[in-house]
Amino acid sequence: MKQLRNNVIRAGLGALYFSGAHHLLRPLLSGVGAIFMLHHVRPAREAGFQPNRHLEVTPEFLRATLFHLRSRDIDIVTMDELHERLLQGRFDRRFAAFTLDDGYRDNLDYALPVLREFDAPLTVYVASDFAEGTGRLWWVALEAVIARAEQIDVRIGNSALRIDATTPAAKQAAFDRLHDWLRALPGEHDLAREIGALCTRYDVDMEALCRSLCLSWAEVRTFAADPLVTIGAHSVSHGNLAKQAEDIAAQEMAVSRARIEQVLEHPVLHLAYPYGDRDAAGMREFALAASAGFKTAVTTRPGMLFAENASHMTALPRVSLNGNYQDARILPVLTSGAATAMWNGFRRIAAA
Ligand SMILES: [Zn+2]
């Protein structure tokens, strides 16, 4: 299913690029700006099995993106500035913001130096359990389990399954299947139990993975001291907020913010919803973020910004810089808004 979706996007982006249709669509679709979404920024790896590759781009691709934006005279702004321009309806110049989710150490090591070359600000959304070193990066843990196993024994519902994981293709199929199963479990505690059991069975230390990938609090503090960097909140546990009771979802937002504020001694005004798609952030979460006092909250719903987004500041769409499409020829298509418009069925606002 995910592969199908990727193929459709790839074909769609290719078709848009080679037909030149994005040039024709630009005046209608480009909007006033965009928020780019990234996760890891790090050098490409050799491994044949990289199921989470969509979550990483290379420093070179980030540089190409920044170069493209600068060459089109697009302002690169902080989330505070983006909020202000939307609020005041100041659209004389197009603008873009760079946002990086989760709080990975490679953001400090690889993304910041590239952003510095362009004097471009960035916002990093930190999940507080990740900075604590106790985070459950279950998609990374699942990759580690499958990478080291030849077969995966797992009980799904009432059936005991043995899933082949001998080749890179089999590993990818196993990952897709188990990833979809884990994400569809009813509650966060179900997910915690099942990934915990897999890690125990295949000897993967989830907390060690967290500490090796994520910024510690001390590093968050160092990062935040850079004038280009804004730190935002990304919940405590990185659970799906829409699946949690309202008081728990509200706490996830408030406690993560309080924890970051305690470390930085500085207010935290911006939020990214974990997962951030329609299944993880809807009207209830948008209202919770607004009443918690966040100036902006970003989703993972694809889209450019339009004047209308000013009335939906806690439901902002983003444009993903996806590791599966690191081709500089794609950049004019992404910044034209044609790709995200196609994905949204040509609706301009997806705040519902
Ligand atoms: Zn995240």
Side-chain angles (χ1 to χ4, degrees):
M1 185 60 202
K2 190 163 353 129
Q3 197 50 46
L4 175 67
R5 192 177 130 128
N6 280 340
N7 288 341
V8 167
I9 302 180
R10 205 193 304 268
L13 287 173
L16 280 167
Y17 172 74
F18 291 110
S19 69
H22 60 288
H23 290 300
L24 302 174
L25 295 168
R26 182 173 295 152
L28 177 64
L29 301 167
S30 58
V32 298
I35 305 170
F36 288 102
M37 168 176 68
L38 301 88
H39 292 81
H40 294 281
V41 177
R42 61 188 177 192
R45 291 171 298 152
E46 288 293 310
F49 173 59
Q50 294 191 54
N52 290 305
R53 185 164 175 268
H54 60 289
L55 298 175
E56 62 182 90
V57 299
T58 63
E60 292 73 27
F61 186 67
L62 176 58
R63 187 176 290 113
T65 307
L66 286 154
F67 185 81
H68 173 75
L69 296 173
R70 286 289 191 226
S71 70
R72 299 200 54 207
D73 201 26
I74 294 171
D75 291 343
I76 302 173
V77 300
T78 61
M79 287 303 290
D80 278 336
E81 171 77 14
L82 180 139
H83 173 260
E84 202 165 297
R85 289 193 189 194
L86 277 176
L87 212 57
Q88 298 175 346
R90 249 174 58 219
F91 307 133
D92 49 322
R93 293 178 56 80
R94 293 185 69 206
F95 52 87
F98 279 81
T99 63
L100 296 91
D101 288 13
D102 300 340
Y104 295 115
R105 185 171 297 114
D106 56 47
N107 296 178
L108 176 61
D109 294 341
Y110 293 104
L112 182 60
V114 175
L115 284 148
R116 259 196 206 124
E117 291 171 27
F118 295 84
D119 196 28
L122 66 157
T123 297
V124 177
Y125 298 107
V126 171
S128 55
D129 275 357
F130 290 10
E132 208 72 55
T134 58
R136 197 165 52 239
L137 285 80
W138 61 269
W139 56 98
V140 180
L142 183 62
E143 176 180 344
V145 163
I146 296 172
R148 65 171 45 187
E150 297 273 286
Q151 60 191 34
I152 313 288
D153 291 309
V154 65
R155 174 168 283 279
I156 296 184
N158 288 324
S159 25
L161 299 179
R162 172 157 293 180
I163 301 176
D164 176 38
T166 43
T167 64
K171 286 181 189 296
Q172 181 64 52
F175 183 89
D176 288 345
R177 179 165 191 188
L178 294 171
H179 183 278
D180 289 351
W181 165 60
L182 289 168
R183 263 218 76 178
L185 289 170
E188 285 301 318
H189 52 282
D190 301 304
L191 171 57
R193 184 189 63 240
E194 297 297 347
I195 192 67
L198 280 171
C199 284
T200 306
R201 204 171 310 138
Y202 295 94
D203 198 25
V204 167
D205 183 340
M206 204 158 20
E207 291 198 358
L209 281 177
C210 173
R211 289 190 300 273
S212 75
L213 291 174
C214 297
L215 295 157
S216 67
W217 283 124
E219 290 165 325
V220 170
R221 206 181 291 119
T222 308
F223 207 6
D226 191 292
L228 290 175
V229 176
T230 300
I231 303 291
H234 195 40
S235 85
V236 175
S237 64
H238 203 285
N240 179 332
L241 298 176
K243 279 189 184 172
Q244 289 160 342
E246 183 162 339
D247 57 328
I248 305 290
Q251 253 183 52
E252 282 273 343
M253 294 182 195
V255 173
S256 63
R257 171 162 69 178
R259 185 72 182 96
I260 300 169
E261 287 179 339
Q262 183 189 29
V263 171
L264 300 184
E265 299 173 346
H266 188 283
V268 170
L269 302 168
H270 305 280
L271 173 77
Y273 305 102
Y275 310 110
D277 56 17
R278 278 172 192 282
D279 298 332
M283 294 309 275
R284 188 191 75 174
E285 290 68 41
F286 302 157
L288 285 176
S291 65
F294 287 104
K295 281 163 78 170
T296 71
V298 292
T299 67
T300 59
R301 297 183 188 196
M304 312 295 280
L305 298 173
F306 293 91
E308 296 92 314
N309 285 112
S311 11
H312 304 281
M313 288 290 196
T314 56
L316 296 175
R318 290 190 283 179
V319 175
S320 170
L321 287 188
N322 183 317
N324 288 329
Y325 318 109
Q326 298 187 70
D327 180 337
R329 294 176 308 175
I330 287 306
L331 292 170
V333 184
L334 281 182
T335 51
S336 78
T340 55
M342 180 177 69
W343 184 250
N344 283 328
F346 293 92
R347 274 173 289 117
R348 274 160 66 106
I349 297 287

